[in-house]
Amino acid sequence: MAGAHGNSMGDDSWTECEKATDNGSSYISELSPSAHRGRLVTLSILFVTLGQVVAYLVGWGLSSTTHGWRWMVGLGSSPAIVQLGLLFFMPETPRWLKKVGDTEGARHVLSRVYGKNSEAVVEAILRAIGMEILSEEEAPIKIRNSWLAKNSLMYFSATIFSQLQFSSPTLASLSIAVTNLIFTMVAMVFIDRVGRRRILLYSIPIMVLGLCTVALAFTFFDQKAPASTKSPTTIGKAKGPWAYLILVSMIVYVSSYAIGMGNVPWQQSELFPLSIRSLGSSIATATNWGSNFVVGLTFLPMMELLSPAWTFVTYALVCMVGWGCIWKIYPETMGLGLEEVGALLKDGWGVKESLQRL
């Protein structure tokens, strides 16, 4: 699991790209004890957010250096080299080993995960995995996709702060990245205590509040006012109180995003049965990246055509629709083993059944 966490940071810290997060979260989910699975998957996201903070700092530090962009690109290879070394120390997951018939190998990996004097637990998990494999061979498989969202503010914060005429948009953006890091730590503490479903239902309304406040502030913000002339080594003065309200509202939005939507969707692999876990997680991740593509393609045109205020109102409406979908179809999987989640979803969404056990 340490190797998987290292891979998360290796792929993301310098390039701010999350292409390996799906594989890493699936791998960690299959290795983790059910009581700590949410926390351990969130830890991999924590490394991603830490990498983003480092990337902002490196980019800011090299922005005034001659040919600094060459160093930025070149340094991106160092995490990948570390990742390559860590891969050699990562075992196969016990569920995959059991599926291909290597029961002893699966037993060995589970014994390493659960420690000494855990023979009864290991054998129980092996039996549950075997029963899941058998049931999948006897019944048709249903694929369910989890609802995913991506934060456009993380992509375009520097552009937004440039419009707000902060004298150092990069440093202003760093406040967003640091907020994301801090509240990912908060999510890691509570995800296995509060539960995935509750965290989403509690945090998305705060996201909506933050987006609506940004929209309101942009309505009164005068983009034709003169810019600040502060030194680029400080955030400097922006144009009036509305600019600061936008900054605070973005921090509120990102903090609630990091607690909920920034982490819970990456628990997606626990929703899929073993035989299609890789396929299902890949489809869900492709949906996420497709949404990111749409956001990246349309954000600036929407800011131009609809105005910044209506752009953020649109995002708030998307979040509200997402909240409704989660309330209706997303079950609580906190504390359940992967095989127990499969049984919960066998005959429906399992929302009512998942809430009855809490």
Side-chain angles (χ1 to χ4, degrees):
M1 280 184 277
H5 293 314
N7 288 352
S8 298
M9 187 172 182
D11 276 346
D12 294 292
S13 60
W14 305 105
T15 62
E16 296 179 90
C17 172
E18 296 175 352
K19 293 180 180 178
T21 307
D22 170 42
N23 288 336
S25 61
S26 298
Y27 180 85
I28 295 168
S29 292
E30 292 202 357
L31 276 177
S32 303
S34 57
H36 306 293
R37 186 173 60 246
R39 224 170 304 174
L40 290 171
V41 173
T42 303
L43 181 60
S44 70
I45 308 302
L46 179 63
F47 278 101
V48 173
T49 59
L50 176 61
Q52 290 173 339
V53 172
V54 173
Y56 272 116
L57 290 172
V58 172
W60 172 67
L62 296 176
S63 60
S64 58
T65 303
T66 304
H67 302 303
W69 68 271
R70 298 179 185 272
W71 283 100
M72 295 181 201
V73 174
L75 287 172
S77 63
S78 56
I81 294 172
V82 174
Q83 171 187 350
L84 180 62
L86 291 172
L87 287 173
F88 292 101
F89 300 95
M90 296 169 62
E92 293 290 352
T93 68
R95 288 164 176 84
W96 185 86
L97 292 171
K98 178 69 175 178
K99 181 181 177 182
V100 299
D102 187 0
T103 303
E104 284 304 316
R107 182 177 288 109
H108 175 69
V109 174
L110 285 171
S111 297
R112 291 176 59 188
V113 171
Y114 287 91
K116 298 179 179 180
N117 302 320
S118 59
E119 291 82 2
V121 175
V122 169
E123 294 303 321
I125 293 174
L126 288 174
R127 285 194 298 270
I129 296 172
M131 293 176 62
E132 182 183 13
I133 294 172
L134 182 61
S135 65
E136 288 172 1
E137 292 174 351
E138 296 175 348
I141 296 171
K142 300 177 182 179
I143 299 179
R144 298 171 173 85
N145 288 334
S146 57
W147 179 76
L148 304 176
K150 186 58 183 177
N151 177 8
S152 62
L153 296 185
M154 292 298 296
Y155 289 143
F156 296 104
S157 58
T159 302
I160 295 171
F161 291 131
S162 294
Q163 291 188 3
L164 299 177
Q165 297 191 7
F166 282 97
S167 56
S168 180
T170 302
L171 281 184
S173 299
L174 179 60
S175 66
I176 301 297
V178 171
T179 299
N180 195 25
L181 172 65
I182 293 172
F183 282 89
T184 299
M185 296 179 187
V186 175
M188 187 173 67
V189 172
F190 288 104
I191 194 166
D192 284 321
R193 299 179 181 179
V194 177
R196 287 85 155 131
R197 176 184 168 90
R198 288 177 180 173
I199 282 181
L200 290 176
L201 293 178
Y202 294 161
S203 63
I204 290 179
I206 302 176
M207 292 171 59
V208 173
L209 176 63
L211 289 170
C212 290
T213 307
V214 171
L216 177 66
F218 263 116
T219 301
F220 295 99
F221 179 71
D222 182 11
Q223 297 192 43
K224 297 180 181 180
S228 171
T229 58
K230 287 285 184 180
S231 167
T233 58
T234 62
I235 292 179
K237 292 183 177 179
K239 299 187 306 179
W242 295 112
Y244 290 106
L245 178 60
I246 292 172
L247 173 60
V248 172
S249 300
M250 289 175 65
I251 290 174
V252 169
Y253 170 76
V254 171
S255 63
S256 56
Y257 168 84
I259 290 175
M261 288 305 302
N263 290 284
V264 175
W266 295 113
Q267 316 288 332
Q268 63 196 14
S269 59
E270 65 187 12
L271 298 175
F272 299 104
L274 178 60
S275 62
I276 59 162
R277 185 163 295 142
S278 297
L279 175 63
S281 296
S282 297
I283 292 174
T285 302
T287 302
N288 183 34
W289 279 100
S291 301
N292 277 292
F293 174 77
V294 172
V295 169
L297 192 67
T298 60
F299 178 75
L300 294 180
M302 286 176 64
M303 292 276 284
E304 183 70 24
L305 295 175
L306 299 181
S307 79
W310 282 108
T311 297
F312 286 101
V313 168
T314 302
Y315 290 149
L317 292 175
V318 171
C319 288
M320 293 171 66
V321 171
W323 187 94
C325 292
I326 291 166
W327 181 83
K328 183 70 176 178
I329 67 175
Y330 192 82
E332 181 54 70
T333 59
M334 176 183 63
L336 293 177
L338 295 180
E339 292 69 37
E340 293 175 301
V341 175
L344 181 68
L345 297 173
K346 187 175 182 180
D347 299 315
W349 297 112
V351 175
K352 184 177 179 180
E353 295 83 353
S354 70
L355 296 178
Q356 287 176 345
R357 66 184 181 84
L358 297 178

